[in-house]
Amino acid sequence: MTAPFTLGLVQMAPAATVADSLEKAAARVAEAAKAGANVVCLPELFATPYFCRNQDHAAFDLADPIPGPTTQAMAAAAKAAGVVVVAPLFERRGPGCHQNSLAVLGPDGGHLGVYRKMHIPHDPGFEEKFYFAPGDLGFKTFATPFGPIGTLICWDQWFPEAARATALQGALVLCYPTAIGWHPSEKAAFGEGQRDAWITVQRGHAIANGVYVAAVNRVGIEGSGAGYGQTLEFWGSSFVADPSGRIVAQAGIAEEALVTAVIDPRVVETQRRHWPFLRDRRIDAYGDLCRLYNEGGQS
């Protein structure tokens, strides 16, 4: 059994330029390491504005290959701090082929692997299908020097299948880099319920899989009706839930923050011994989950 390690979540807003955002993120990684973090996770698309607020062909200029400037900068930050960094980015695969991805970078500056967002949303202010092809690498758990971590991205967090598939690969924690917030016009009527649902579904993943779950969001208001389109208020609230679904650390709604929590394999072991959901799964009976919808009922 691996030793406990500390996870750090960097809740932040992007800076004025990509270069400034990379510098800011590197400083936050160093701060997290000083606070005891062994693994540091940044928010979804942390180095850029959330350009998916509308459809703008010019925004493709923000994309980066892997390896490329974003991963090189964060690999250097990981090596300088001696930590693992989960670095999300807008990945350019080639002309006309882009994905919403993350790279996992080791404490020696090496690349431990890539995950590409599997579920791509399409809603007003979240026009991601215009920009991103669906992930083609499947669900991923990465063996880091501190322990196995699973990575998913934002919209993936609403799908129990994604959490289960990743947890079954041995992850101790599911890390969800995120960019989620309110349409200001809807906040008064629906905001509290939307944020509560976001937290609740992820706490459910922690319980159902006997695993830690961590969501790291951006903060701030982006957009003014021009440029990248609709205005969004990102609601922060980055948190870590333990395998019983209890929130053990959480940031506020509006401020940049560093959230840290200990990921303890013994807690995962104990929780799964007492609530053995993985043991009791009926893998022989789940075939219809591979269908989009089963109009005829049980087949």
Side-chain angles (χ1 to χ4, degrees), residues 138-221:
F139 300 108
K140 306 283 283 187
T141 290
F142 298 94
T144 82
F146 305 106
I149 64 169
T151 57
L152 296 145
I153 300 176
C154 201
W155 192 236
D156 291 331
Q157 62 208 172
W158 299 97
F159 296 86
E161 301 90 343
R164 178 56 54 79
T166 307
L168 287 173
Q169 295 179 26
L172 294 172
V173 57
L174 308 181
C175 296
Y176 290 94
T178 301
I180 191 169
W182 295 297
H183 294 284
S185 62
E186 296 180 353
K187 183 178 177 181
F190 305 111
E192 182 178 352
Q194 291 170 342
R195 178 177 168 274
D196 183 65
W198 174 75
I199 294 170
T200 300
V201 73
Q202 293 178 90
R203 292 177 65 197
H205 298 330
I207 297 166
N209 293 289
V211 71
Y212 289 88
V213 166
V216 52
N217 196 14
R218 64 170 69 202
V219 290
I221 297 173

Side-chain angles (χ1 to χ4, degrees), residues 272-291:
R272 289 183 177 177
R273 287 184 183 187
H274 289 274
W275 286 7
F277 300 137
L278 300 188
R279 181 198 68 190
D280 293 342
R281 294 172 62 238
R282 286 294 306 277
I283 58 174
D284 60 316
Y286 299 152
D288 282 341
L289 294 180
C290 294
R291 303 174 64 176

Side-chain angles (χ1 to χ4, degrees), residues 71-94:
T71 54
Q72 289 167 359
M74 291 302 99
K79 185 175 182 178
V83 299
V84 170
V85 173
V86 178
L89 72 156
F90 184 17
E91 183 188 5
R92 183 184 191 275
R93 300 282 299 279

Side-chain angles (χ1 to χ4, degrees), residues 15-243:
T17 68
V18 170
D20 288 344
S21 292
L22 294 176
E23 185 176 344
K24 178 178 179 178
R28 298 294 188 270
V29 168
E31 291 173 12
K34 288 180 181 178
N38 307 112
V39 177
V40 182
C41 188
L42 297 162
E44 181 183 21
L45 303 170
F46 74 94
T48 69
Y50 184 72
F51 50 86
C52 311
R53 289 181 285 107
N54 77 345
Q55 298 183 14
D56 183 351
H57 290 90
F60 287 103
D61 291 338
L62 297 170
D64 227 7
I66 299 176
T70 298
T71 54
Q72 289 167 359
M74 291 302 99
K79 185 175 182 178
V83 299
V84 170
V85 173
V86 178
L89 72 156
F90 184 17
E91 183 188 5
R92 183 184 191 275
R93 300 282 299 279
C97 186
H98 301 78
Q99 290 178 294
N100 188 333
S101 304
L102 61 80
V104 182
L105 307 163
D108 61 353
H111 285 230
L112 300 180
V114 173
Y115 171 73
R116 298 184 176 121
K117 186 173 181 177
M118 292 286 282
H119 302 93
I120 308 299
H122 184 80
D123 284 308
F126 297 89
E127 304 276 352
E128 295 199 15
K129 280 186 166 65
F130 179 79
Y131 294 100
F132 308 131
D136 58 350
L137 297 175
F139 300 108
K140 306 283 283 187
T141 290
F142 298 94
T144 82
F146 305 106
I149 64 169
T151 57
L152 296 145
I153 300 176
C154 201
W155 192 236
D156 291 331
Q157 62 208 172
W158 299 97
F159 296 86
E161 301 90 343
R164 178 56 54 79
T166 307
L168 287 173
Q169 295 179 26
L172 294 172
V173 57
L174 308 181
C175 296
Y176 290 94
T178 301
I180 191 169
W182 295 297
H183 294 284
S185 62
E186 296 180 353
K187 183 178 177 181
F190 305 111
E192 182 178 352
Q194 291 170 342
R195 178 177 168 274
D196 183 65
W198 174 75
I199 294 170
T200 300
V201 73
Q202 293 178 90
R203 292 177 65 197
H205 298 330
I207 297 166
N209 293 289
V211 71
Y212 289 88
V213 166
V216 52
N217 196 14
R218 64 170 69 202
V219 290
I221 297 173
E222 297 188 29
S224 58
Y228 289 123
Q230 297 202 32
T231 300
L232 294 175
E233 179 182 353
F234 295 95
W235 63 48
S237 308
S238 301
F239 71 92
V240 180
D242 72 9

